[in-house]
Amino acid sequence: MAVPKKRTSRSKKIIRKTVWKNKGYWTTLKAFSLAQSIFTGNSKSFFCNKYKR
């Protein structure tokens, strides 16, 4: 038989939300950093040709 669960407290809800937002923030920061290094040519993990002929 289904039992109703207790309500999650507001503080837990806020903590979970900030953790979720921070994950997105760090992912964005890493992507931007990688794009910057590729653009400037300092990337050691990506090889791309800047000049197409």
Side-chain angles (χ1 to χ4, degrees), residues 38-41 47-53:
I38 289 171
F39 184 72
T40 57
F47 297 101
C48 70
N49 295 331
K50 280 189 173 181
Y51 307 106
K52 290 186 178 181
R53 290 182 184 184

Side-chain angles (χ1 to χ4, degrees), residues 8-46:
T8 308
S9 68
R10 184 169 166 79
S11 60
K12 270 191 184 175
K13 184 179 174 183
I14 291 170
I15 289 167
R16 286 191 185 129
K17 195 173 185 179
T18 54
V19 166
W20 183 76
K21 282 183 179 180
N22 283 341
K23 281 183 185 177
Y25 170 76
W26 290 113
T27 307
T28 307
L29 201 65
K30 284 180 187 177
F32 186 73
S33 175
L34 179 62
Q36 252 184 336
S37 65
I38 289 171
F39 184 72
T40 57
N42 295 332
S43 177
K44 291 177 175 66
S45 59
F46 273 82

